[in-house]
Amino acid sequence: MQFISTRGGMTPAGFTEVLLSGLAPDGGLTVPDALPSLTRETLESWRRLGYAELATEVIGLFATDVPREDLARLTAAAYSPDRFPAPIVPLRPLTRVADGLELVGLSEGPTMAFKDLAMQFLGQAIPYVLAKEGRVLNILGATSGDTGSAAEHAFRGKDNVSVVMLSPHGRMSDVQRAQMYSLDDPNIVNVAVHGVFDDCQNLVKAVNADPEFKARNSVGAVNSINVGRIAAQCVYYVWAWLRATDELDDAERSGAQVDVAVPSGNFGNIYAGHLAREMGVPIRRLILATNENNVLDEFFRTGVYTPRSREDTLATSSPSMDISKASNLERFVFELLGAKEFSRRWPELEARGSLDLSDQQARFESEFGFVSASSTHEERLTAIRLVHTLTGRLIDPHTADGVTVALALMEPGFPTLVLETAKAAKFGATVAEALGGEQAVDEAVQALLDAPQHVTELDNDLDALRSLIEEHALRA
């Protein structure tokens, strides 16, 4: 498989090459030049595989330049029992909430968030590529909550990798901050930016848009634009369909489809689901769920994409989705329009602050299976309360957005899988508000909250960030 840029100015490159980069050299995002097809026979042949073995097969569709035995070793290390206790991705029925509703448990990893499933793979794959090439990498990332801690826990202590992670000052939960800021590994640098997540993301993009600075300081990215994360996220869409259909007989499996509800901020997770669906995983609909920062919901309902200003980005009780400019949407629009039409129409977004694709909106569901809705604070509290009352399970507020939207849009006869975003313990205050009282805090979580924290505060200033990167960058 080769990867190309949405902007058309990049020589096709293999997986290991684009794995180490953020934006493409022309400022676009890398996408596969073509996708393989997964037949029902192939999917059935994977049914008895463990998660790490399945990851080797699925990621191997993208990482065609990595020897199979090396890839198997990387996935075995990434999904080992010391990182993910079995079952790695359990499916938990929520039938008492609604018939056919299931929760896909993606938060069994070291930082209690779905980001671990992709990031632990990158924590093995990126050092592997660097060691082969005798290089170092200084990862620059932006996080609205869980990406930062997942990246830092995946790369902490690595000899040839450093991490500079930007987060919006005061906009994450106490546990999210503690998971990041309590790390004292010398190759981890936490930066709290005075602004919102979109400011952090814009700073990362600005650094990546300077090829000379980026090359001189060996800057790369592991946030949601990294294709390695997209490939690794495709795995659990395949896994979820296999597990959801395990109890069906052969005749029932042949026509079995599922809907998948995905809480979405930056469009990375659901884009992986889109790729899985395009390759042939029997996903009927991708149900996109947003919070009050509903720019993506607005786009999929109307066809008009209008990112909001930083002043208009709301601070909500599902803070990891407080994003008003979804980086990965560019990948979908590129596929939607094709290269020529994309190059003509995408610049409208920069010129006008909005992109009107309402002439394409009918295709969103009919061709690509996308439907969407948003959730409010009161609705996510209701969802947390409902799930806990009927099943005894605790869900976090982002997952509650997914449950809320799934309940609004699910249709009889089609199982609806809600992708879990994080453990409820990461958002104790919101869960307590929903349930009318504080929940018991796990000893390990309390120890984390009590640990000393290490963070550098920074104004929303590109020159200041450049100086910080140069100060901390590893040199080959």
Side-chain angles (χ1 to χ4, degrees), residues 93-97 386-394:
L94 298 178
T95 49
R96 291 187 176 182
V97 179
L386 179 67
V387 170
H388 185 257
T389 299
L390 296 180
T391 71
R393 298 194 183 283
L394 290 174

Side-chain angles (χ1 to χ4, degrees), residues 169-447:
H169 185 265
R171 294 248 181 171
M172 298 189 299
S173 76
D174 291 342
V175 174
Q176 285 176 314
R177 281 193 293 271
Q179 283 183 327
M180 293 172 59
Y181 300 169
S182 64
L183 297 181
D184 58 4
D185 302 76
N187 70 322
I188 303 297
V189 181
N190 280 298
V191 181
V193 175
H194 292 281
V196 299
F197 170 75
D198 291 323
D199 295 320
C200 301
Q201 187 165 253
N202 288 337
L203 286 170
V204 171
K205 287 184 175 180
V207 170
N208 276 284
D210 183 342
E212 191 279 328
F213 180 88
K214 183 179 173 182
R216 188 174 74 248
N217 292 285
S218 303
V219 174
V222 295
N223 57 4
S224 68
I225 63 174
N226 185 290
V227 294
R229 278 185 60 180
I230 299 294
Q233 287 173 315
C234 287
V235 178
Y236 51 71
Y237 284 91
V238 180
W239 175 271
W241 181 82
L242 290 170
R243 301 292 76 80
T245 57
D246 273 337
E247 303 304 317
L248 302 180
D249 61 34
D250 290 343
E252 291 172 322
R253 284 177 187 166
S254 66
Q257 291 183 304
V258 299
D259 289 350
V260 185
V262 189
S264 188
N266 222 5
F267 203 71
N269 191 0
I270 201 166
Y271 175 73
H274 163 70
L275 290 186
R277 182 180 186 274
E278 291 293 292
M279 287 189 292
V281 179
I283 297 169
R284 185 181 72 119
R285 295 188 305 167
L286 290 161
I287 302 173
L288 183 145
T290 70
N291 61 18
E292 293 90 337
N293 294 297
N294 59 353
V295 171
L296 284 173
D297 174 36
E298 182 179 82
F299 172 69
F300 281 97
R301 284 187 295 102
T302 69
V304 180
Y305 178 50
T306 308
R308 299 193 182 117
S309 67
R310 61 187 302 275
E311 292 78 16
D312 292 331
T313 301
L314 305 173
T316 77
S317 53
S318 49
S320 297
M321 289 157 46
D322 291 347
I323 299 170
S324 291
K325 190 172 185 179
S327 291
N328 287 284
L329 189 64
E330 180 172 340
R331 288 178 159 127
F332 174 68
V333 175
F334 176 80
E335 182 177 345
L336 177 75
L337 298 178
K340 183 176 180 180
E341 186 70 359
F342 176 87
S343 65
R344 185 180 74 83
R345 298 185 69 174
W346 186 254
E348 294 176 19
L349 182 61
E350 186 68 29
R352 303 175 185 175
S354 183
L355 180 62
D356 186 348
L357 298 179
S358 55
D359 59 325
Q360 304 290 323
Q361 196 272 337
R363 299 173 60 199
F364 293 170
E365 181 175 2
S366 64
E367 187 174 338
F368 300 103
F370 280 106
V371 294
S372 72
S374 60
S375 175
T376 66
H377 176 68
E378 290 302 323
E379 287 172 327
R380 71 181 63 97
L381 295 182
T382 297
I384 292 169
R385 191 179 307 119
L386 179 67
V387 170
H388 185 257
T389 299
L390 296 180
T391 71
R393 298 194 183 283
L394 290 174
I395 59 173
D396 85 290
H398 308 78
T399 306
D401 288 329
V403 169
T404 297
V405 171
L407 291 174
L409 297 181
M410 65 187 298
E411 297 177 352
F414 295 96
T416 300
L417 314 181
V418 179
L419 298 192
E420 182 184 55
T421 296
K423 293 295 187 187
K426 299 189 79 167
F427 303 93
T430 302
V431 173
E433 182 182 356
L435 301 182
E438 297 288 339
Q439 303 301 299
V441 178
D442 181 90
E443 288 185 10
V445 173
Q446 189 59 57

Side-chain angles (χ1 to χ4, degrees), residues 23-145:
L23 294 173
D26 60 0
L29 299 185
T30 52
V31 294
D33 63 349
L35 286 174
S37 295
L38 295 177
T39 65
R40 290 291 180 118
E41 290 74 22
T42 298
L43 290 170
E44 284 302 321
S45 73
W46 291 348
R47 188 171 292 279
R48 291 182 174 82
L49 298 180
Y51 194 88
E53 296 169 311
L54 181 65
T56 301
E57 298 298 328
V58 177
I59 297 172
L61 299 172
F62 298 88
T64 55
D65 54 350
V66 178
R68 178 53 62 97
E69 59 273 20
D70 289 355
L71 184 58
R73 187 172 64 252
L74 296 176
T75 57
Y79 304 115
S80 62
D82 63 319
R83 291 179 170 87
F84 294 91
I88 293 179
V89 178
L91 264 64
R92 301 181 173 108
L94 298 178
T95 49
R96 291 187 176 182
V97 179
D99 187 41
L101 192 66
E102 293 192 67
L103 187 67
V104 182
L106 301 181
S107 303
E108 306 300 317
T111 70
M112 303 186 293
F114 82 97
K115 305 291 178 72
D116 288 322
L117 284 159
M119 208 64 76
Q120 285 294 322
F121 171 70
L122 292 193
Q124 300 297 323
I126 285 178
Y128 161 83
V129 174
L130 292 172
K132 277 186 167 296
E133 299 181 1
R135 296 172 56 188
V136 299
L137 185 69
N138 297 296
I139 292 169
L140 175 64
T143 183
S144 55

